[in-house]
Amino acid sequence: MKISLLKFSWYLLSFFVFRNLSREVYLHCPFGQVFYAYIFGIHHNWHSSIIDTIKIETPTTQNGHHPVPKLLYSYDNVLHGFSAVLSKYEFEALKKSPGFLSAYKGRPVEAHTTHTPEFLKLNPTSGLWPASGFGQDVIIGVLDSGVWPESASFRDDGLSAIPKKWKGICKPGIEFNSSLCNMKLIGANYFSKGLLASDPTIILSMNSARDMRGHGTHVASIAAGSFVEGVSYFGYAPGTARGTVTSDLIAAMDQAVADGVDILQLSYGWGSMPLYEDSVARASFGAMMKGVLVTASAGNNGPGMGTISNGVPWIFTVASGSIDRSFSGTLTLGNGLKITGFRLFPVRTTIKDFVLVNNGSLSTCDSADGYAQVPNAARSIMICYRTAQEELSVSDQMGVISEAKVGGALYVYGDPDVLSSKFFPNTGVVISSKDWEKETRIAVKPAPVVSAFSSRGPSLSYLRVANPDIMAPGELILAAWPSNISATVIGVNSFLNSNYSLLTGTSMAAPHISGIAAMLKGVHLDWSPSAIRSSIMTTDNPLDNTGKPIKTTDFLETKVATLLAMGAGLVDPNRAVDPGLIYDATPQDYVNLLCSMNFTEKQFKKIARSSAKHKCSNPSDDINYPSFIALFDPHGDYTWMEQTFRRTVTNVGAGAAKYKAKVEAPKNSTISIYPQILVFEKKNQKEDYTLTIRYKGISEDQAQSGSITWVEKNGYHTVRSPIVVAPALDEALDPSS
């Protein structure tokens, strides 16, 4: 598959609030766009004329200076509107201009920051990879911090020509020539006008598509990187690496759709807000309307409910899980006892005859000051515990040990997140408190486990569709890294470089789904974004590698994961290529969903624009989604409630087929399906069914999971959709909730 890298400034991520004296960046969405575009020829001319008009109405400042408003971007693909730097006087004048619909200040967004193909059972001889031609002629647009084009992950050995539909460019800039693009990295662009407008004194060290943070390079190589043999991170994770703000960000999305991408990959987001104010949600709606699938990370603010980012019905939202790989080191005591634990120290070391120190007053390892009392600290191994009174992370403790110049440490920890960090600046191992008590080694089963940091649903922006959608590997993922950026540190100030690095976050999970979606698009060129999402969700694996339901550890309590933590389950790429049935949805279906949200006309048109074909004659909050969510009032008396869903499934199998419903009801619920058997006489035939759930809440206010699975008779397809019963959240911003 091909990559188009569109860089937006790392520091400016949003229609951001720029403060330059009294001037700020605003996004303006006009009303009568078709009429004005006809008069002025193109939208940019119209937007410029608006800016020219309000210049006249802006008073001079006290010092006699007459500030000049500045147009930054015109948007015409995912949004109709523009962003500009305006004073408060110019903003008031703008609100009086003909066709004004809305304008608002920008917001910042944050980053949701090898072995995984084998873990996902991808292989080059059968299944999705060869069926898709390895994603041939499918284009992924990665919106991130840039790219390191010299990385071997972006070489184009043996690749076919650039797809004819591609309309983009390889934009030159500082230390980035257009010749750096190739048959793999087919385009690169960058958007920094918003940042530069915020402060004219800023000098960008790299005003180009070159990555100076590492995040974009890492994400792009996961989504669509080339095969690179023998790579590793300082000897760990050896093998083959493969790939699977916001004025600047929206400009990048707008350009990507115009350039002809099939998949848009976002690993950025912000907290929940009303959909009509969420510029990423609005731009993603416009991309979806043009047939582009937008995949995005769920965020790293878990495990609390309602913490998810990008949780809107038309974005494919991805949670993070672990994989069946651990990094270990062994501590051998004088009595011969071997303690094996987690270790990612970047240098191979062997230390002998060190003293193991278990000092109660120093066991929290929270300050370097007390270690002067330890005899020969440089040849000592401290035992560091985390107590209930201390809020230190294991990374903080490692920093203290490095600062105190202690020889090493044994970290005894109860937080599973410690096993997903690559920060390991000194010799030592980390073991869980349970392993410490039982003196057992850390195992790689069960896997996956939902990452504790992965943000949970439901989305405060819209509660009636369950999010996240799916889970993919997101912990300690090996991928490309800029060679001039430090990958890790030893001690306090010894920095090491590497061409590949391990990163953790939903930012690493989402590009796995982008790569898989691109390959599915290569197999099924006529599938809509909703069809691709359905095929991935309904063929997931809800079980771990022990054959039991996938678990999650929320606030140190291990329990079965629900749809609100892991989505449908772990992605299974090979099954997704032939799902049997799909839940499809048209752009008009999403418009009907918007119509049901009790928006004002202005709010509605901020998302759906003002096209006459977007009618609200059939509003419906029951979109044809491959999952189900029923909400109860957590403050109520927990009386029985009932909700009915209507779904349409399309037969995408080879021909005639018959399916029978298999139901697993959530706790305290009963489910009825009508009809219980679906008969298809031919491919592409559609059949409807209804699912009615009778349920009540429980006093613990916990979510409960179930599922409906359509099982093919005399065939091999099973089409599973998760069901969750959950408490409605008090903080919900959904106007229809």
mmCIF file of all heavy atoms in Angstrom, residues 583 659-665 671-673 675-677 689 691 706-712 718-723:
data_model
loop_
_atom_site.group_PDB
_atom_site.id
_atom_site.type_symbol
_atom_site.label_atom_id
_atom_site.label_comp_id
_atom_site.label_asym_id
_atom_site.label_seq_id
_atom_site.Cartn_x
_atom_site.Cartn_y
_atom_site.Cartn_z
ATOM 1 N N TYR A 583 -22.799 -5.066 8.097
ATOM 2 C CA TYR A 583 -23.743 -4.000 8.447
ATOM 3 C C TYR A 583 -23.276 -2.743 7.721
ATOM 4 O O TYR A 583 -22.288 -2.127 8.126
ATOM 5 C CB TYR A 583 -23.741 -3.758 9.954
ATOM 6 C CG TYR A 583 -24.240 -4.912 10.799
ATOM 7 C CD1 TYR A 583 -23.422 -6.014 11.066
ATOM 8 C CD2 TYR A 583 -25.513 -4.885 11.358
ATOM 9 C CE1 TYR A 583 -23.873 -7.064 11.863
ATOM 10 C CE2 TYR A 583 -25.971 -5.932 12.158
ATOM 11 C CZ TYR A 583 -25.144 -7.016 12.403
ATOM 12 O OH TYR A 583 -25.588 -8.055 13.189
ATOM 13 N N TYR A 659 -28.515 -18.302 7.930
ATOM 14 C CA TYR A 659 -27.883 -18.002 9.210
ATOM 15 C C TYR A 659 -28.899 -18.132 10.340
ATOM 16 O O TYR A 659 -30.064 -17.762 10.197
ATOM 17 C CB TYR A 659 -27.321 -16.575 9.220
ATOM 18 C CG TYR A 659 -26.070 -16.376 8.389
ATOM 19 C CD1 TYR A 659 -26.154 -16.152 7.013
ATOM 20 C CD2 TYR A 659 -24.813 -16.387 8.980
ATOM 21 C CE1 TYR A 659 -25.010 -15.948 6.252
ATOM 22 C CE2 TYR A 659 -23.664 -16.187 8.233
ATOM 23 C CZ TYR A 659 -23.765 -15.966 6.879
ATOM 24 O OH TYR A 659 -22.628 -15.772 6.127
ATOM 25 N N LYS A 660 -28.430 -18.621 11.481
ATOM 26 C CA LYS A 660 -29.253 -18.727 12.668
ATOM 27 C C LYS A 660 -28.638 -17.909 13.795
ATOM 28 O O LYS A 660 -27.426 -17.891 13.988
ATOM 29 C CB LYS A 660 -29.375 -20.194 13.110
ATOM 30 C CG LYS A 660 -30.300 -20.390 14.306
ATOM 31 C CD LYS A 660 -30.457 -21.868 14.659
ATOM 32 C CE LYS A 660 -31.405 -22.047 15.846
ATOM 33 N NZ LYS A 660 -31.582 -23.484 16.188
ATOM 34 N N ALA A 661 -29.505 -17.220 14.569
ATOM 35 C CA ALA A 661 -29.036 -16.348 15.640
ATOM 36 C C ALA A 661 -28.652 -17.139 16.882
ATOM 37 O O ALA A 661 -29.359 -18.054 17.303
ATOM 38 C CB ALA A 661 -30.112 -15.330 15.989
ATOM 39 N N LYS A 662 -27.513 -16.770 17.465
ATOM 40 C CA LYS A 662 -27.064 -17.309 18.741
ATOM 41 C C LYS A 662 -26.858 -16.120 19.673
ATOM 42 O O LYS A 662 -26.115 -15.188 19.348
ATOM 43 C CB LYS A 662 -25.755 -18.080 18.563
ATOM 44 C CG LYS A 662 -25.163 -18.599 19.861
ATOM 45 C CD LYS A 662 -23.818 -19.282 19.600
ATOM 46 C CE LYS A 662 -23.154 -19.726 20.890
ATOM 47 N NZ LYS A 662 -21.813 -20.335 20.626
ATOM 48 N N VAL A 663 -27.524 -16.138 20.828
ATOM 49 C CA VAL A 663 -27.544 -14.970 21.703
ATOM 50 C C VAL A 663 -26.891 -15.272 23.042
ATOM 51 O O VAL A 663 -27.111 -16.343 23.628
ATOM 52 C CB VAL A 663 -28.995 -14.486 21.930
ATOM 53 C CG1 VAL A 663 -29.032 -13.379 22.980
ATOM 54 C CG2 VAL A 663 -29.595 -13.991 20.628
ATOM 55 N N GLU A 664 -26.083 -14.337 23.514
ATOM 56 C CA GLU A 664 -25.557 -14.356 24.875
ATOM 57 C C GLU A 664 -25.988 -13.049 25.526
ATOM 58 O O GLU A 664 -25.501 -11.972 25.162
ATOM 59 C CB GLU A 664 -24.030 -14.476 24.868
ATOM 60 C CG GLU A 664 -23.416 -14.491 26.254
ATOM 61 C CD GLU A 664 -21.900 -14.548 26.221
ATOM 62 O OE1 GLU A 664 -21.340 -14.850 25.158
ATOM 63 O OE2 GLU A 664 -21.282 -14.261 27.268
ATOM 64 N N ALA A 665 -26.939 -13.123 26.447
ATOM 65 C CA ALA A 665 -27.521 -11.918 27.050
ATOM 66 C C ALA A 665 -26.634 -11.384 28.160
ATOM 67 O O ALA A 665 -26.048 -12.157 28.931
ATOM 68 C CB ALA A 665 -28.910 -12.221 27.583
ATOM 69 N N ILE A 671 -32.901 -11.129 25.877
ATOM 70 C CA ILE A 671 -32.828 -10.651 24.494
ATOM 71 C C ILE A 671 -33.690 -11.536 23.608
ATOM 72 O O ILE A 671 -33.641 -12.770 23.715
ATOM 73 C CB ILE A 671 -31.374 -10.647 23.982
ATOM 74 C CG1 ILE A 671 -30.552 -9.596 24.729
ATOM 75 C CG2 ILE A 671 -31.309 -10.381 22.481
ATOM 76 C CD1 ILE A 671 -29.093 -9.564 24.348
ATOM 77 N N SER A 672 -34.462 -10.903 22.739
ATOM 78 C CA SER A 672 -35.239 -11.640 21.741
ATOM 79 C C SER A 672 -34.880 -11.134 20.351
ATOM 80 O O SER A 672 -34.652 -9.935 20.150
ATOM 81 C CB SER A 672 -36.741 -11.481 21.993
ATOM 82 O OG SER A 672 -37.124 -10.115 21.945
ATOM 83 N N ILE A 673 -34.799 -12.061 19.400
ATOM 84 C CA ILE A 673 -34.417 -11.757 18.017
ATOM 85 C C ILE A 673 -35.560 -12.177 17.088
ATOM 86 O O ILE A 673 -36.125 -13.265 17.232
ATOM 87 C CB ILE A 673 -33.141 -12.511 17.602
ATOM 88 C CG1 ILE A 673 -32.004 -12.243 18.603
ATOM 89 C CG2 ILE A 673 -32.716 -12.135 16.190
ATOM 90 C CD1 ILE A 673 -31.511 -10.836 18.629
ATOM 91 N N PRO A 675 -36.445 -12.061 12.750
ATOM 92 C CA PRO A 675 -36.560 -13.519 12.857
ATOM 93 C C PRO A 675 -35.257 -14.117 13.372
ATOM 94 O O PRO A 675 -34.222 -13.461 13.344
ATOM 95 C CB PRO A 675 -36.830 -13.935 11.422
ATOM 96 C CG PRO A 675 -36.114 -12.912 10.605
ATOM 97 C CD PRO A 675 -36.257 -11.613 11.358
ATOM 98 N N GLN A 676 -35.289 -15.351 13.820
ATOM 99 C CA GLN A 676 -34.100 -16.012 14.337
ATOM 100 C C GLN A 676 -33.301 -16.717 13.249
ATOM 101 O O GLN A 676 -32.194 -17.182 13.504
ATOM 102 C CB GLN A 676 -34.495 -17.008 15.428
ATOM 103 C CG GLN A 676 -35.074 -16.327 16.662
ATOM 104 C CD GLN A 676 -35.260 -17.283 17.813
ATOM 105 O OE1 GLN A 676 -34.979 -18.470 17.696
ATOM 106 N NE2 GLN A 676 -35.734 -16.774 18.937
ATOM 107 N N ILE A 677 -33.869 -16.793 12.055
ATOM 108 C CA ILE A 677 -33.167 -17.383 10.913
ATOM 109 C C ILE A 677 -33.242 -16.403 9.743
ATOM 110 O O ILE A 677 -34.322 -15.881 9.422
ATOM 111 C CB ILE A 677 -33.775 -18.742 10.518
ATOM 112 C CG1 ILE A 677 -33.554 -19.763 11.644
ATOM 113 C CG2 ILE A 677 -33.153 -19.243 9.220
ATOM 114 C CD1 ILE A 677 -34.158 -21.124 11.357
ATOM 115 N N TYR A 689 -33.511 -7.620 10.620
ATOM 116 C CA TYR A 689 -33.937 -8.284 11.844
ATOM 117 C C TYR A 689 -34.048 -7.233 12.945
ATOM 118 O O TYR A 689 -33.510 -6.125 12.842
ATOM 119 C CB TYR A 689 -32.964 -9.407 12.242
ATOM 120 C CG TYR A 689 -31.641 -8.975 12.819
ATOM 121 C CD1 TYR A 689 -31.469 -8.798 14.196
ATOM 122 C CD2 TYR A 689 -30.523 -8.766 12.002
ATOM 123 C CE1 TYR A 689 -30.249 -8.426 14.735
ATOM 124 C CE2 TYR A 689 -29.298 -8.394 12.533
ATOM 125 C CZ TYR A 689 -29.168 -8.217 13.902
ATOM 126 O OH TYR A 689 -27.959 -7.837 14.430
ATOM 127 N N LEU A 691 -33.684 -6.666 17.245
ATOM 128 C CA LEU A 691 -33.163 -7.158 18.519
ATOM 129 C C LEU A 691 -33.817 -6.344 19.620
ATOM 130 O O LEU A 691 -33.719 -5.102 19.633
ATOM 131 C CB LEU A 691 -31.646 -7.030 18.558
ATOM 132 C CG LEU A 691 -30.924 -7.515 19.824
ATOM 133 C CD1 LEU A 691 -29.516 -7.997 19.479
ATOM 134 C CD2 LEU A 691 -30.827 -6.417 20.907
ATOM 135 N N GLY A 706 -22.738 -8.740 26.407
ATOM 136 C CA GLY A 706 -23.338 -9.896 25.766
ATOM 137 C C GLY A 706 -23.032 -9.838 24.285
ATOM 138 O O GLY A 706 -22.182 -9.057 23.839
ATOM 139 N N SER A 707 -23.751 -10.635 23.489
ATOM 140 C CA SER A 707 -23.504 -10.621 22.045
ATOM 141 C C SER A 707 -24.622 -11.326 21.308
ATOM 142 O O SER A 707 -25.366 -12.136 21.881
ATOM 143 C CB SER A 707 -22.170 -11.305 21.715
ATOM 144 O OG SER A 707 -22.217 -12.678 22.072
ATOM 145 N N ILE A 708 -24.734 -11.012 20.017
ATOM 146 C CA ILE A 708 -25.529 -11.788 19.087
ATOM 147 C C ILE A 708 -24.598 -12.242 17.974
ATOM 148 O O ILE A 708 -23.831 -11.432 17.424
ATOM 149 C CB ILE A 708 -26.721 -11.000 18.501
ATOM 150 C CG1 ILE A 708 -27.399 -11.826 17.399
ATOM 151 C CG2 ILE A 708 -26.299 -9.628 18.005
ATOM 152 C CD1 ILE A 708 -28.639 -11.203 16.810
ATOM 153 N N THR A 709 -24.639 -13.530 17.666
ATOM 154 C CA THR A 709 -23.788 -14.093 16.622
ATOM 155 C C THR A 709 -24.669 -14.798 15.600
ATOM 156 O O THR A 709 -25.473 -15.672 15.955
ATOM 157 C CB THR A 709 -22.776 -15.094 17.193
ATOM 158 O OG1 THR A 709 -22.000 -14.447 18.205
ATOM 159 C CG2 THR A 709 -21.852 -15.617 16.102
ATOM 160 N N TRP A 710 -24.549 -14.406 14.340
ATOM 161 C CA TRP A 710 -25.239 -15.095 13.257
ATOM 162 C C TRP A 710 -24.321 -16.202 12.751
ATOM 163 O O TRP A 710 -23.225 -15.941 12.255
ATOM 164 C CB TRP A 710 -25.612 -14.123 12.134
ATOM 165 C CG TRP A 710 -26.708 -13.173 12.544
ATOM 166 C CD1 TRP A 710 -26.573 -11.879 12.937
ATOM 167 C CD2 TRP A 710 -28.093 -13.486 12.622
ATOM 168 N NE1 TRP A 710 -27.795 -11.343 13.246
ATOM 169 C CE2 TRP A 710 -28.760 -12.315 13.061
ATOM 170 C CE3 TRP A 710 -28.862 -14.627 12.365
ATOM 171 C CZ2 TRP A 710 -30.131 -12.258 13.254
ATOM 172 C CZ3 TRP A 710 -30.241 -14.563 12.554
ATOM 173 C CH2 TRP A 710 -30.861 -13.405 12.990
ATOM 174 N N VAL A 711 -24.768 -17.432 12.938
ATOM 175 C CA VAL A 711 -23.979 -18.609 12.599
ATOM 176 C C VAL A 711 -24.505 -19.214 11.301
ATOM 177 O O VAL A 711 -25.691 -19.554 11.191
ATOM 178 C CB VAL A 711 -24.041 -19.661 13.724
ATOM 179 C CG1 VAL A 711 -23.183 -20.877 13.360
ATOM 180 C CG2 VAL A 711 -23.583 -19.049 15.051
ATOM 181 N N GLU A 712 -23.626 -19.336 10.315
ATOM 182 C CA GLU A 712 -24.034 -19.885 9.019
ATOM 183 C C GLU A 712 -24.260 -21.387 9.121
ATOM 184 O O GLU A 712 -23.411 -22.128 9.637
ATOM 185 C CB GLU A 712 -22.969 -19.584 7.966
ATOM 186 C CG GLU A 712 -23.368 -20.017 6.557
ATOM 187 C CD GLU A 712 -22.302 -19.731 5.528
ATOM 188 O OE1 GLU A 712 -21.147 -19.446 5.931
ATOM 189 O OE2 GLU A 712 -22.618 -19.785 4.317
ATOM 190 N N THR A 718 -19.230 -16.943 10.967
ATOM 191 C CA THR A 718 -19.893 -16.518 12.195
ATOM 192 C C THR A 718 -19.745 -15.006 12.283
ATOM 193 O O THR A 718 -18.636 -14.477 12.174
ATOM 194 C CB THR A 718 -19.273 -17.183 13.443
ATOM 195 O OG1 THR A 718 -17.874 -16.902 13.482
ATOM 196 C CG2 THR A 718 -19.496 -18.687 13.409
ATOM 197 N N VAL A 719 -20.859 -14.322 12.466
ATOM 198 C CA VAL A 719 -20.884 -12.860 12.398
ATOM 199 C C VAL A 719 -21.337 -12.350 13.767
ATOM 200 O O VAL A 719 -22.519 -12.374 14.095
ATOM 201 C CB VAL A 719 -21.829 -12.371 11.288
ATOM 202 C CG1 VAL A 719 -21.740 -10.854 11.136
ATOM 203 C CG2 VAL A 719 -21.513 -13.068 9.974
ATOM 204 N N ARG A 720 -20.381 -11.882 14.559
ATOM 205 C CA ARG A 720 -20.655 -11.541 15.963
ATOM 206 C C ARG A 720 -20.737 -10.037 16.173
ATOM 207 O O ARG A 720 -19.881 -9.278 15.713
ATOM 208 C CB ARG A 720 -19.555 -12.121 16.858
ATOM 209 C CG ARG A 720 -19.697 -11.790 18.330
ATOM 210 C CD ARG A 720 -18.527 -12.351 19.119
ATOM 211 N NE ARG A 720 -18.570 -11.917 20.514
ATOM 212 C CZ ARG A 720 -18.067 -10.757 20.946
ATOM 213 N NH1 ARG A 720 -17.467 -9.931 20.084
ATOM 214 N NH2 ARG A 720 -18.151 -10.431 22.222
ATOM 215 N N SER A 721 -21.774 -9.600 16.902
ATOM 216 C CA SER A 721 -21.922 -8.200 17.287
ATOM 217 C C SER A 721 -22.038 -8.107 18.799
ATOM 218 O O SER A 721 -22.880 -8.788 19.400
ATOM 219 C CB SER A 721 -23.171 -7.580 16.646
ATOM 220 O OG SER A 721 -23.023 -7.459 15.254
ATOM 221 N N PRO A 722 -21.210 -7.300 19.450
ATOM 222 C CA PRO A 722 -21.265 -7.186 20.913
ATOM 223 C C PRO A 722 -22.455 -6.339 21.370
ATOM 224 O O PRO A 722 -22.940 -5.455 20.650
ATOM 225 C CB PRO A 722 -19.938 -6.516 21.254
ATOM 226 C CG PRO A 722 -19.592 -5.725 20.038
ATOM 227 C CD PRO A 722 -20.126 -6.499 18.867
ATOM 228 N N ILE A 723 -22.909 -6.618 22.579
ATOM 229 C CA ILE A 723 -24.000 -5.886 23.221
ATOM 230 C C ILE A 723 -23.508 -5.444 24.588
ATOM 231 O O ILE A 723 -22.843 -6.208 25.292
ATOM 232 C CB ILE A 723 -25.249 -6.772 23.382
ATOM 233 C CG1 ILE A 723 -25.694 -7.352 22.039
ATOM 234 C CG2 ILE A 723 -26.393 -6.000 24.041
ATOM 235 C CD1 ILE A 723 -26.725 -8.467 22.172
#
